[in-house]
Amino acid sequence: MTITNEDAFTTFATYLLHNEEFTWVISTNSLRVTALGTIFDGVQLTKNVTLKAFNGLPGVTISNFELPSDDPAGGITISTDSTIPSPAREYFHLHFVCIFSSHPSLAELGIDLGTVNFISYFDGVEVGPLTGTGLDLPPESTVTEHLTGRIIPQSGSNLDTIGVLFSEYLAGDNITLSVMGDSVMPDGSDEVTWLSTAFKTLNLSVILPGKQYKVRESVSSRPRAVLSSFE
């Protein structure tokens, strides 16, 4: 498939990401039909096909949130898993291969994104970038995507806000993050402009479950030595 109007296709991709369903109008004035050994040329056909879309990808969650080390680029490294439900029907591959089911009730939609970049925010302050690779959202399914990134260095009032995030997280409170799309690279290296433009409009409300650390005290064999560890 060749995109002849990139602006219109960007609008289409944006609509797919944000709406519950869409209607595709398929039409031609030059259909060839073969029936009972007779060929009919120039047959006109218009068909409306309504499919479920992504509806803003509701219900995205985070698990296995870890901060394993300082990040070489500055700040703290993030390693986490994200569970992404995809309510859409029909498969929409970024190599522009669309497959339609012959049975209307079985029609489904999915999308192969490849490498995706997000930016996360807490209470209006940028927390940092997150990246996933090989992200494929099959039709009507839930996938788990491993994300890596970092908490960027902060200062001033932004540092206070990130301090609140850590305080709530360590208190075991659930934290709502705003995760915004930034770019899409289906082949892992080359950004697709129209898709990234649509992806940037995606703003996910994601729950980060808090984790209470239990302080465990133990007495060593050495006199007066008390060791504390976190688990």
PDB file of all heavy atoms in Angstrom, residues 69-78 149-150 153:
ATOM      1  N   SER A  69      20.152   0.563  39.429  1.00  0.00           N
ATOM      2  CA  SER A  69      21.469   1.204  39.483  1.00  0.00           C
ATOM      3  C   SER A  69      21.394   2.646  39.018  1.00  0.00           C
ATOM      4  O   SER A  69      20.366   3.105  38.503  1.00  0.00           O
ATOM      5  CB  SER A  69      22.457   0.436  38.587  1.00  0.00           C
ATOM      6  OG  SER A  69      22.030   0.495  37.227  1.00  0.00           O
ATOM      7  N   ASP A  70      22.496   3.361  39.210  1.00  0.00           N
ATOM      8  CA  ASP A  70      22.639   4.672  38.592  1.00  0.00           C
ATOM      9  C   ASP A  70      22.690   4.499  37.079  1.00  0.00           C
ATOM     10  O   ASP A  70      23.185   3.476  36.574  1.00  0.00           O
ATOM     11  CB  ASP A  70      23.924   5.365  39.063  1.00  0.00           C
ATOM     12  CG  ASP A  70      23.872   5.757  40.529  1.00  0.00           C
ATOM     13  OD1 ASP A  70      22.757   5.889  41.061  1.00  0.00           O
ATOM     14  OD2 ASP A  70      24.947   5.914  41.141  1.00  0.00           O
ATOM     15  N   ASP A  71      22.149   5.477  36.353  1.00  0.00           N
ATOM     16  CA  ASP A  71      22.127   5.370  34.895  1.00  0.00           C
ATOM     17  C   ASP A  71      23.324   6.111  34.301  1.00  0.00           C
ATOM     18  O   ASP A  71      23.644   7.220  34.735  1.00  0.00           O
ATOM     19  CB  ASP A  71      20.828   5.969  34.347  1.00  0.00           C
ATOM     20  CG  ASP A  71      20.583   5.565  32.908  1.00  0.00           C
ATOM     21  OD1 ASP A  71      21.091   6.264  32.020  1.00  0.00           O
ATOM     22  OD2 ASP A  71      19.899   4.551  32.688  1.00  0.00           O
ATOM     23  N   PRO A  72      24.006   5.522  33.314  1.00  0.00           N
ATOM     24  CA  PRO A  72      25.158   6.190  32.692  1.00  0.00           C
ATOM     25  C   PRO A  72      24.822   7.556  32.099  1.00  0.00           C
ATOM     26  O   PRO A  72      25.688   8.438  32.033  1.00  0.00           O
ATOM     27  CB  PRO A  72      25.589   5.211  31.591  1.00  0.00           C
ATOM     28  CG  PRO A  72      25.051   3.888  32.018  1.00  0.00           C
ATOM     29  CD  PRO A  72      23.782   4.177  32.752  1.00  0.00           C
ATOM     30  N   ALA A  73      23.558   7.747  31.689  1.00  0.00           N
ATOM     31  CA  ALA A  73      23.159   9.031  31.103  1.00  0.00           C
ATOM     32  C   ALA A  73      22.761  10.046  32.168  1.00  0.00           C
ATOM     33  O   ALA A  73      22.419  11.186  31.847  1.00  0.00           O
ATOM     34  CB  ALA A  73      22.004   8.824  30.129  1.00  0.00           C
ATOM     35  N   GLY A  74      22.796   9.628  33.437  1.00  0.00           N
ATOM     36  CA  GLY A  74      22.381  10.498  34.528  1.00  0.00           C
ATOM     37  C   GLY A  74      21.070  10.046  35.125  1.00  0.00           C
ATOM     38  O   GLY A  74      20.187   9.570  34.421  1.00  0.00           O
ATOM     39  N   GLY A  75      20.933  10.167  36.437  1.00  0.00           N
ATOM     40  CA  GLY A  75      19.714   9.728  37.094  1.00  0.00           C
ATOM     41  C   GLY A  75      19.786   8.270  37.501  1.00  0.00           C
ATOM     42  O   GLY A  75      20.858   7.719  37.745  1.00  0.00           O
ATOM     43  N   ILE A  76      18.620   7.618  37.546  1.00  0.00           N
ATOM     44  CA  ILE A  76      18.504   6.243  38.031  1.00  0.00           C
ATOM     45  C   ILE A  76      17.867   5.374  36.950  1.00  0.00           C
ATOM     46  O   ILE A  76      16.869   5.756  36.338  1.00  0.00           O
ATOM     47  CB  ILE A  76      17.639   6.189  39.306  1.00  0.00           C
ATOM     48  CG1 ILE A  76      18.195   7.133  40.373  1.00  0.00           C
ATOM     49  CG2 ILE A  76      17.563   4.766  39.850  1.00  0.00           C
ATOM     50  CD1 ILE A  76      17.292   7.273  41.579  1.00  0.00           C
ATOM     51  N   THR A  77      18.426   4.203  36.710  1.00  0.00           N
ATOM     52  CA  THR A  77      17.903   3.269  35.711  1.00  0.00           C
ATOM     53  C   THR A  77      16.558   2.690  36.161  1.00  0.00           C
ATOM     54  O   THR A  77      16.378   2.346  37.331  1.00  0.00           O
ATOM     55  CB  THR A  77      18.899   2.118  35.478  1.00  0.00           C
ATOM     56  OG1 THR A  77      20.113   2.660  34.933  1.00  0.00           O
ATOM     57  CG2 THR A  77      18.330   1.089  34.501  1.00  0.00           C
ATOM     58  N   ILE A  78      15.619   2.600  35.219  1.00  0.00           N
ATOM     59  CA  ILE A  78      14.315   1.970  35.461  1.00  0.00           C
ATOM     60  C   ILE A  78      14.232   0.672  34.660  1.00  0.00           C
ATOM     61  O   ILE A  78      14.610   0.631  33.485  1.00  0.00           O
ATOM     62  CB  ILE A  78      13.155   2.888  35.029  1.00  0.00           C
ATOM     63  CG1 ILE A  78      13.121   4.171  35.860  1.00  0.00           C
ATOM     64  CG2 ILE A  78      11.814   2.170  35.148  1.00  0.00           C
ATOM     65  CD1 ILE A  78      12.076   5.165  35.378  1.00  0.00           C
ATOM     66  N   GLY A 149      14.380   2.396  31.042  1.00  0.00           N
ATOM     67  CA  GLY A 149      14.488   3.856  30.948  1.00  0.00           C
ATOM     68  C   GLY A 149      15.251   4.405  32.125  1.00  0.00           C
ATOM     69  O   GLY A 149      16.103   3.724  32.707  1.00  0.00           O
ATOM     70  N   ARG A 150      14.911   5.620  32.526  1.00  0.00           N
ATOM     71  CA  ARG A 150      15.611   6.218  33.665  1.00  0.00           C
ATOM     72  C   ARG A 150      14.769   7.323  34.281  1.00  0.00           C
ATOM     73  O   ARG A 150      13.895   7.898  33.625  1.00  0.00           O
ATOM     74  CB  ARG A 150      16.966   6.794  33.238  1.00  0.00           C
ATOM     75  CG  ARG A 150      16.892   7.964  32.262  1.00  0.00           C
ATOM     76  CD  ARG A 150      18.275   8.361  31.782  1.00  0.00           C
ATOM     77  NE  ARG A 150      18.209   9.464  30.816  1.00  0.00           N
ATOM     78  CZ  ARG A 150      18.669  10.697  31.040  1.00  0.00           C
ATOM     79  NH1 ARG A 150      19.241  10.983  32.201  1.00  0.00           N
ATOM     80  NH2 ARG A 150      18.572  11.645  30.123  1.00  0.00           N
ATOM     81  N   PRO A 153      17.743  13.350  36.292  1.00  0.00           N
ATOM     82  CA  PRO A 153      18.125  14.206  37.428  1.00  0.00           C
ATOM     83  C   PRO A 153      17.152  15.370  37.585  1.00  0.00           C
ATOM     84  O   PRO A 153      16.658  15.918  36.587  1.00  0.00           O
ATOM     85  CB  PRO A 153      19.522  14.698  37.041  1.00  0.00           C
ATOM     86  CG  PRO A 153      20.037  13.677  36.071  1.00  0.00           C
ATOM     87  CD  PRO A 153      18.834  13.213  35.313  1.00  0.00           C
TER      88      PRO A 153
END
